[in-house]
Each structure stands twice: as C-alpha cells, then as structure tokens.
Amino acid sequence: MDILLKNGYVVDAANDFEGVADILVDKGRIVKCAPGITEPADKVVDCTGKTIIPGICDMHVHFRDPGQTHKEDIITGCEAAVAGGVTAVACMPNTVPVVDNAETVKYIIEKAKGAKARVYPIGCITKGQNGEELCNYNELKAAGCVAVSDDGKPVLNARLLARAMVKAHYAGLRVISHCEDPQVIAGGIMNSGEVSKELGVKGMHRISEDISTAREIVIAGDLEMPIHIAHVSTSTSMLLVRLGARYGAMVTSETAPHYFMLTDEKLRLRDADYRMNPPLRTEDDVTAITEGVCDGTIDCIVTDHAPHAPEEKADFEKAPNGVVGLETSLAATLTALYHRGKITLKRIVRLMCVNPRKILGIAGGNFGEGEPADITVFDINEEWIVDPEKLHSKSKNTCFKGMKLKGRVKMTIVDGKIVYEDK
Ligand code: DOR
Ligand code: ZN
C-alpha cells in the first residue's frame, strides 16, 4: 500500500460520514476509509488534529494558457491550486485563442499532464465568444471539455442561448452563464452605489446581473434544461436562484468567497486588487449570499481565480477585472463561515468537493472504495496572514492581502501522490 493517513478528522459528506478515521491509498485509489486500519504502507502520515476532506474541485478558474502566460500558465495555476487544497480545476475558455475548437482543448489537456492538479477545460458557448454562432459541442465534449461558457461575456441573444442549452445538454455539457448586461454596465468599473458616487467613478448597476439571471432561469424553466449561474453576487440574483430552484427550474449556481466576505467599501482604497466582475457589492448582498451558501441554495464555492500582472493592476480605473483566489478559498470560507458558526464542515465539503464534480460529471469528491485518491489535509485552527509575495500563482492580485485567515492547508494528494506539503 502506498499511503496511510492516520487518525485525521475525516469529513466525507457524500457518504454521510464525519469522524476520526484512517484513509488507505494505493495506486491512485482510495482502498479504505475507516477507523483503526492496520495494513502496512510505504508512507504513514500522522494526521492527529488535522481535518481531511476530499480534494477540492474549483469549477471556475482562468489559467491564461494559451496566450497570456505572463499572468499564469497551467503549471503555475496548478501549483497555486494544490497549495490551496484544490485538486481539480475547470478552466474558463477566455484564453488567447479562446477554447472554441478541439485543437485548443487538446493543447490544454496535453500541457496539464505535467501539472500537479487535474485540469478540466471548459469550451466556449459561441465561436470566438462572439455570441453569434454556436460551437460544435459534440466535438468539444469528445476532446475533453466538461462544460461550456462564454465567461466574461454574456450570450445576449436569448434564442441562441436557448439553442445552446438544448444542444449542450444532449452533448452532455452544462451551460455556465456569466450574467451581465453590457449595455447596463456601459463602462462601469465597480458596484454602483454610495461608494462609487463618493469616489466619482462610473458604477456597474446591479440590475445588469439581476436581469440576466432572471432571463437565464426563465429560459431554463421553459425548456426544462439545466443552467449553471456563475458567480452570484447580488441579493436579488440570490433570490431569483432560490425561487427558480424552488419552482422546478434546473438551476445550479456558484459564488466566490469575496462575495460573502467583502463589500465595495474596500474600493475606497482605490486599489484595483479589489476590482473584479461582478464587483464587490454591499453589506445586504453579503448577508444574502452568506444565507444562500449556508442553506444550500448556492451549490458551489469557486474562486473565479483571475490572475493579472502587477503592471496591469497598477492603475485603479484602467486595470482589468479579476482577483486570484485558489490559495485562499478554503481558508477564507472556514474563517468567514465555519469559525463564525454559520456552516457545517459537511456543507463546505458539498460546496467545494461534491457538487462541482456532480455538475461537471467528474469522478471523485468522496472517500468510497476505489474512488480517485485526491485528498486535502488541513489544520482548521492555524492562523496565517495572506502575503501576496508568498503565493504560488504568477500573479499577486489577491483581495485578501493582509487579512488574517483561520485554517491552513497542510498536505494535498492528487492521484495518490503527495503534491503539496506545508512545512
Ligand atoms: O473579474 C473577472 N475576471 N471576471 C470575469 O468575468 C473575467 C475574469 C478574467 O478573465 O479576468
Ligand atoms: Zn470568470
């Protein structure tokens, strides 16, 4: 046997197990998860006092590879992933060129063979992300895509989106929708409200997100086809997802830690590391998103890991949107939700490990016999301060810089191999 993890506090939500147990791993697979395993192993790791969950699957990251590898590439993106306890990522297709053909998908899959985490490409909904002509979903699926999205750009034509939802469904791919109305945004750079007014910068009105979320859910409900709503950030969108799911639309959704931790007050610093799209909103939104995450209306916590180089982020108003997040997502979630008594560990495991894989059709996310041996071990009480310079990502644009977080990844195992250790 290859590895035996001894006496960790195991949280295996999919198998409804939580308690002290051992995990035996061999040839990249889980052999057994039970208390008191005595079989010998090449490596025995004492996990007393540590928490063990199935490896995190982050279904929304931007790795900039091909085309903008000065920001991040697949190898460094995966270094950042495993340092954050993330063993699988789904990469958004807004690379250069965009992922709208089998050849680019194959490039990503080939390069990912040398990476520390599992990489699942997401293809475009439309060719060139132009919102005009649908991609060939059977071709994208056959090449290895797990979903389609025009992330960063919404599909404005509702008829085309409806056709995409039907065709993607029959190809076995979920449509992930970036909900935004660019005519409402009209050049805005942060949430439209008191703070944008005081700063004298153009705001992005919240209805941009809300009307698109409503449209997506109405279409999904009418077609009886699934839709996944990316990065929910407003209280109204949260309510729409809640109503949609309640009334039978096949809607799943995600949010990112910054939407339940930070508000647009941060923008007073005039620092582009607090700018992303959708933008940080208000206290009411943070409350609504927190409720949705904790009561299970939101299905997944993702990062929207969006690396940008320091020189690109230097100018507050001209900088591109996006923040890195892979190395802080678990710690941020534990700090904001678990340590404040708002959420259980089992719910966190569903949000970060189980549901993303279910939505994308990826194996794993639990410690059943024969499952892939992708494992995250962390110290739930260790405190640390986020230092951008210590991140493994090529880019340092974290909106959690300087914050004290409680919970630290100690070891990450992918395919039965230890790929990260915090020493
Ligand atoms: O903040 C964002 N950054 N939002 C997006 O939708 C795209 C992303 C990026 O690619 O940088
Ligand atoms: Zn994104």
Side-chain angles (χ1 to χ4, degrees):
M1 297 290 153
D2 293 334
I3 304 176
L4 177 60
L5 304 178
K6 287 290 296 173
N7 291 318
Y9 188 78
V10 175
V11 186
D12 183 1
N15 288 311
D16 202 21
F17 176 80
E18 181 169 347
V20 175
D22 305 338
I23 298 178
L24 188 61
V25 168
D26 195 47
K27 298 184 186 68
R29 299 272 156 188
I30 304 290
V31 177
K32 207 190 310 180
C33 172
I37 296 176
T38 51
E39 272 108 313
D42 295 343
K43 186 165 174 75
V44 179
V45 184
D46 178 14
C47 293
T48 308
K50 305 289 187 298
T51 306
I52 307 183
I53 61 174
I56 294 166
C57 174
D58 185 341
M59 66 177 285
H60 189 147
V61 306
H62 298 265
F63 276 179
R64 315 300 189 201
D65 192 353
Q68 292 179 301
T69 51
H70 65 285
K71 297 175 194 263
E72 192 81 285
D73 62 44
I74 290 168
I75 304 299
T76 58
C78 287
E79 294 274 350
V82 297
V86 176
T87 61
V89 295
C91 301
M92 284 295 173
N94 62 338
T95 45
V96 185
V98 296
V99 188
D100 61 1
N101 60 81
E103 200 190 328
T104 314
V105 179
K106 282 178 190 150
Y107 162 83
I108 294 169
I109 288 176
E110 209 42 50
K111 185 148 179 191
K113 285 182 183 161
K116 289 185 174 170
R118 298 182 200 263
V119 177
Y120 296 94
I122 297 171
C124 295
I125 298 173
T126 64
K127 295 223 171 109
Q129 277 192 315
N130 286 330
E132 283 163 14
E133 192 187 338
L134 300 185
C135 292
N136 182 331
Y137 301 146
N138 290 321
E139 179 191 307
L140 291 176
K141 170 81 178 180
C145 283
V146 293
V148 288
S149 180
D150 277 358
D151 186 64
K153 276 189 170 184
V155 178
L156 295 176
N157 179 332
R159 260 178 72 113
L160 194 68
L161 180 75
R163 276 182 48 217
M165 282 164 60
V166 174
K167 289 199 163 201
H169 180 66
Y170 288 116
L173 297 168
R174 185 73 49 105
V175 173
I176 302 173
S177 178
H178 170 107
C179 293
E180 173 180 334
D181 182 330
Q183 285 187 311
V184 174
I185 296 284
I189 64 155
M190 63 174 285
N191 182 54
S192 177
E194 290 303 312
V195 182
S196 67
K197 248 183 248 161
E198 281 175 38
L199 292 176
V201 302
K202 199 155 182 341
M204 302 153 105
H205 202 288
R206 58 181 52 248
I207 70 161
S208 159
E209 178 174 337
D210 299 339
I211 57 183
S212 312
T213 306
R215 183 193 74 160
E216 257 57 348
I217 294 171
V218 168
I219 296 172
D222 180 66
L223 293 174
E224 298 184 21
M225 287 286 155
I227 187 88
H228 181 79
I229 308 292
H231 37 51
V232 179
S233 79
T234 70
S235 56
T236 304
S237 284
M238 191 59 249
L239 185 63
L240 289 164
V241 168
R242 197 183 287 287
L243 289 175
R246 181 79 202 255
Y247 290 103
M250 283 187 261
V251 54
T252 55
S253 62
E254 61 179 42
T255 193
H258 40 272
Y259 300 121
F260 55 78
M261 288 182 81
L262 305 175
T263 68
D264 59 358
E265 288 294 324
K266 280 282 182 199
L267 279 295
R268 290 187 191 282
L269 296 166
R270 285 189 162 271
D271 179 344
D273 286 349
Y274 299 102
R275 278 194 41 219
M276 73 291 288
N277 186 21
L280 297 177
R281 306 283 188 186
T282 67
E283 206 56 60
D284 283 351
D285 298 299
V286 166
T287 304
I289 300 295
T290 302
E291 274 172 22
V293 168
C294 296
D295 71 15
T297 305
I298 292 270
D299 298 277
C300 310
I301 294 175
V302 302
T303 61
D304 199 4
H305 181 84
H308 293 292
E311 40 313 344
E312 296 163 332
K313 276 292 197 181
D315 186 310
F316 172 58
E317 293 191 33
K318 295 201 184 95
N321 289 310
V323 291
V324 294
L326 278 165
E327 294 173 70
T328 47
S329 58
L330 176 62
T333 302
L334 291 168
T335 306
L337 305 180
Y338 175 76
H339 287 299
R340 290 189 186 147
K342 295 184 180 174
I343 200 170
T344 61
L345 287 175
K346 271 192 186 166
R347 174 76 72 198
I348 291 178
V349 168
R350 283 191 205 101
L351 286 156
M352 302 188 85
C353 317
V354 179
N355 295 343
R357 288 182 172 90
K358 222 191 267 175
I359 289 166
L360 300 175
I362 297 172
N366 74 88
F367 292 135
E369 187 188 326
E371 293 289 334
D374 296 357
I375 304 169
T376 299
V377 181
F378 60 97
D379 183 330
I380 204 163
N381 289 317
E382 186 174 329
E383 295 185 326
W384 57 290
I385 291 173
V386 180
D387 175 355
E389 291 315 310
K390 291 198 177 137
L391 297 179
H392 296 72
S393 171
K394 269 190 197 173
S395 293
K396 311 298 171 195
N397 50 315
T398 166
C399 58
F400 297 113
K401 57 187 167 186
M403 271 180 78
K404 190 197 271 184
L405 299 180
K406 189 169 181 180
R408 189 166 174 90
V409 174
K410 303 311 276 184
M411 179 181 280
T412 307
I413 296 174
V414 174
D415 200 23
K417 292 172 203 72
I418 297 169
V419 289
Y420 174 80
E421 260 184 287
D422 178 51
K423 289 178 181 149

